[in-house]
Amino acid sequence: MDSKHHIVILGAGESGAGAAVLALKQGFEVFVSDSGPISPKYVKELEDAGIEFEQQQHSEERILTADEVIKSPGIPEKAPLIKKIREKGISIISEIEFASRYSNAKTICITGSNGKTTTTMLTYHILKDAGLHVGLAGNIGQSYARQVAQKDFDWYVLEISSFMLDDMYEFKADVAVLLNITPDHLDRYDYKMENYAESKIRIIRNQSEKDVFIYCADDPETINILKRHPAVAMTYPFSIQKEVEIGAYVKDEQIIIKLDTEKEFKMTITDLALQGKHNIYNSMASGIVAKVLELRNENVRASMGDFKNIEHRLEDAGKISGVNFINDSKATNVNSTWYALESMTTDVILILGGVDKGNDYSMLKDLVKAKVKSIVCLGKDNKRIHEAFEEYVDVIVNTFSAQDAVKMAYHLAKKGNTVLLSPACASFDLFKNYEDRGDQFKAAIKEL
């Protein structure tokens, strides 16, 4: 009888490969299984480490002998294999849950339907600049488990998706940030907003009164779910709409952060590196984290003023004959596109489309009416975009490649207009992922 604890890892992307490295280091018997092809970089890593793996198949018998399964966040609960694992009573956890067992580092966990990548990067930037020994992981960068195995930090800033939260049980965030809850991924939550909200609020699971919870007081869904699941941690709200006693708010064009009634942090909005209303929220959330860690005001101000945003998120992609191009390929839901349009100051040629996750386009109508001149669809099936917007814009055209979309948008644009790629949809119909879509968009602009 093999007494070694047997761990099966489903999915061999960044999080799966990282979990395998950590599991091996902890002395487990490890088997990695991916129903698709595994990228050569991870194949090499697994082979070099002597970790058994399979690709383009799942050997069910082998998988069902596991003591514990670590699954990729991308695999839905509804998958038949997951149902079988559950029926056998085998525990299924996330890579984050697994990694946290072997690290004493403090965690800052950031979730929300929109803005989490930007807020995670900004928070990491502030902490790193202040000299903290800090790692960046979760939905972004290197796997948390791999970092715990290879070079553990004192602090981690983790970008956490709702799919990761679904497979967390014992894990605890020392500092939890919930930016907003708006419809996204509803296909994974039986198309019920309350199921998705229940998932997001798991970010405060296991917190004690010594921990910290930071949330947006202006977000109705967040306020709603907090009535059902009140936080026990120290809470700091942030708001643009009203002054809060403890937390962050905006007054006289300044962000004001107060963690107690005595000291306050102030920064003029125009000095923030990230502009636009949604980014004021992101900056306030990061600023509260920084002040909870008692970082010095001048350091926080400097970092919030010199931060460079990530690729594919409202990224300036160049200017040709007076037409601006903006790559917002990371906008894979309607809300992200709403934020993008909200921050536009010129007339827009909007490139929309891809895999629609049950999108409700009605929230875009007012902004489309006010700012969008034409819509260029980039996707295999654009019927719902036509239905939603045909009465609000003069021109809606279909394209099936980034090159055609860019050519068509450029042709429709006038001097001073902005061509905005902000698709509101996933990219998997025509592209590998949103990065690939953004890269092809930028390459096509260079060819004009």
Side-chain angles (χ1 to χ4, degrees), residues 239-240 242-243 248-256 266-269 284:
S239 169
I240 288 180
K242 54 182 184 277
E243 281 188 33
Y249 60 93
V250 172
K251 191 181 179 182
D252 304 330
E253 291 298 290
Q254 285 190 315
I255 285 180
I256 295 168
K266 282 185 177 176
M267 182 162 181
T268 308
I269 288 170
M284 285 199 281

Side-chain angles (χ1 to χ4, degrees), residues 366-385:
D366 290 344
L367 279 167
V368 165
K369 238 192 293 195
K371 300 187 178 189
V372 175
K373 288 283 156 269
S374 351
I375 290 176
V376 174
C377 299
L378 174 57
K380 283 186 179 164
D381 179 8
N382 307 311
K383 191 166 90 254
R384 296 197 53 230
I385 294 172

Side-chain angles (χ1 to χ4, degrees), residues 353-369:
V355 181
D356 181 321
K357 299 177 282 192
N359 284 348
D360 173 7
Y361 292 110
S362 61
M363 72 153 83
L364 294 179
K365 284 183 179 169
D366 290 344
L367 279 167
V368 165
K369 238 192 293 195

Side-chain angles (χ1 to χ4, degrees), residues 368-369 372-375 389-396:
V368 165
K369 238 192 293 195
V372 175
K373 288 283 156 269
S374 351
I375 290 176
F389 301 114
E390 58 197 358
E391 56 186 291
Y392 302 108
V393 296
D394 303 333
V395 182
I396 301 186

